[in-house]
Each structure stands twice: as C-alpha cells, then as structure tokens.
Amino acid sequence: MPGINITTMTKTEIQFPDGSQQSSSANPIYRNRVINGQMRVAQSGPVALPLNTLTFGGCDRFPVKATGFTTFSGTLTQARSGYAVNADYVQEAQVTSTGSGTLTFHHRIERLNVYDIYTCWICVQFEVYQDTGSAINLTWDVMKPTNFDVWTVSNPIINGNAGVTTSIPSGVKTKITKAFYIDTNPASAEALCGLGIVINFPFGAVTNKFFQISNVQLEKGNYPTEIEYVPLPVEITRCHRYYDRVIQTTRNYAATSSGVGSGIKFHQTMRVAPTATITAGTRTNAGTVVVNNITPYGANHFVPSVAAGICGAQLDIIQLNAEI
C-alpha cells in the first residue's frame, strides 16, 4: 500500500513529506509587535527636545530622552531618510549639545500585545543613522516593565542582555538585527508585563547634528523577516489607542451663567482614561473650558458661561494622552 504524503505548515515553516523545510512564503499578518515601526504616523508634529525629560513628539509611540549632557537642545520630528520617492520615514532628533551624554529612543509595547511571548525566540531589527562625523558605539536593549505596563527610569533587562553594542559609522544608514530567547519558565514569563526597546546614542559636544531610527520590528522567531507593511488607516487607529487629537466645538444658549457642554467621542477606545490638554480655539461668552468625565471611550467638553446668552468654544484642539 503506498505511503501517505502529508505536508504540514507551522507558524514559521512548511514541512514537506521528504522531511525538507521551507520558510513560509506568507508571513502572518501583524507579526510585528511594534506599533508605528515605519514611523508613518506623526500626530504631534515637531516638538522641542529638552534635557532629562522623556519627550513624546514627532513620530507616535517613540519618545526620546537626553541625559548626561552639560547643555542640550534639540527638535524631535518626523523626517525622510533622503529625497527618493520611496525614502523611509524616520524619527529624527536634531541636536546641539555640550559635554557628553546619551540620547535614548524608546518604544514600549503594551502587555496585551506580547502576553503570548514566553519560552520562545524573538527577533529585533531596526535601522539607525547619525552624522556626527565619527563612528558611535551605539548600545541597545530589550526591556520589560516592573509591573503590568508600569515603566520606570531603569527597568529590568531581558535575560541580562545589557548593552548590545554596535559601532555605527557617520553618514550611513545601519541596519541592526539580533535574536533573544525569552524566559524558560511560563510562571514568571518576562513578557507578561510588557516589552520595550531602548536605543542609545552616546556622544559629546555637537552642533545641529541628526540622529534617526526607522523600520523597527520585534517578532516571534530567531530570524528576521521583511519589515511588515501595515495599511496606514490601521496604523493610525492603533496609534489612537495611546494618543489622539480631536477637534471639538460646543456652542449653545446658556439661560444662566451655568454654561454649556457636549460629548467628545474618541476615534478609538484608548488604553486607559487619557489625560486631556486643550489648545483653545475661539471663545464666545466663555470662562475657562475644561474636559471632564473622561473615560477610555469619550469625555465631556464643558464651557462655563460668563453671563446669560450664547456661549461657546469653537474648534478647540484636544490632545488625549494614554501613553506608556
């Protein structure tokens, strides 16, 4: 009786009847656990980059912090890595400094996006660039928070892989890839609290120099796959879980000086009830406008009136922050 030929497929490979294997030609969708790794979403726009402050701006989900310098100033912005039509978007810090210190790019992954990663290999890859005029010994780590999505200044390093060091030349984009084995005991699985990546550029005094990261990917497996392309509307929606900007207008007749209000509906259910900051639009017979009754789903835009009559706040920009 002839044998039965069976072809099987796992998450990473195809197993043929003769025992040979082939990497799956169709990689799983959303295998990259990093959100906005291609740096295409930049809701905040350019922001000032001070010393000793974790700063969100430029590209979503990639805050930056400068430490150790005597003086430091900079701008954090979304940029392009060249002038070609297909040039990559990058998270870019333009820096002027004295003394020596470290510029650190962060990315923190919510535990719900990595709770399945334990007792397995992960592979991290990213691209970096700097133009200081000489090589830099860049260091980077895969980190975990001390509790569910609770990040502090110094968080534990996965499996003691502290300070993976790579010399990166000046004026050249450099790609870095490394695989890590995550945990051996599911009862204390390292990723159950979340995962993070830190990328450190150490340097001295510079004037208007550029530091960039792009194409950041963290995935299951011990080899890198092609950088995953996520449709832009999906990537924007994923970013809205952590940071959102809505424009709100509330205008009506106030019979007394009690004011008027309207409901704010967020674009996406946010990770937690966010912190709200208002950039004022136009005011009519209005006191200090507030956002209250905030939940992960929405909030209230309240405009206190100064006197009876038409009362309103038009085109307020409300920034909603639920970052980790």
Side-chain angles (χ1 to χ4, degrees), residues 35 61 110 113 238-243 271 322-323:
I35 294 175
R61 312 274 12 261
E110 188 178 354
N113 287 334
R238 298 203 299 181
C239 289
H240 280 161
R241 179 169 171 80
Y242 306 91
Y243 180 85
R271 185 181 66 87
E323 286 282 5

Side-chain angles (χ1 to χ4, degrees), residues 10 20-21 31 37 47 49 53 63 80 86 119 124 136 141 147 149 183 199 209 245 314:
T10 69
S20 62
Q21 298 175 348
R31 65 189 183 279
V47 300
L49 186 59
T53 302
R80 301 294 293 273
N86 62 342
T119 316
V124 177
I136 286 178
D141 303 302
N147 206 336
D149 300 324
D183 201 50
I199 302 170
K209 297 302 181 182
R245 291 163 68 94
Q314 294 82 241

Side-chain angles (χ1 to χ4, degrees), residues 160-236:
N161 286 294
V164 181
T165 303
T166 304
S167 178
I168 59 170
S170 176
V172 178
K173 182 189 292 186
T174 302
K175 184 173 183 177
I176 296 174
T177 302
K178 183 175 175 62
F180 295 85
Y181 192 75
I182 299 296
D183 201 50
T184 55
N185 180 6
S188 61
E190 290 171 323
L192 291 183
C193 292
L195 284 176
I197 302 169
V198 290
I199 302 170
N200 305 297
F201 293 83
F203 56 90
V206 298
T207 302
N208 289 328
K209 297 302 181 182
F210 295 89
F211 301 84
Q212 301 173 346
I213 67 169
S214 60
N215 288 328
V216 183
Q217 184 152 297
L218 185 153
E219 61 189 313
K220 272 189 172 182
N222 59 359
Y223 63 92
T225 64
E226 182 181 359
I227 296 295
E228 181 178 38
Y229 179 86
V230 177
L232 183 58
V234 174
E235 198 75 288
I236 292 172

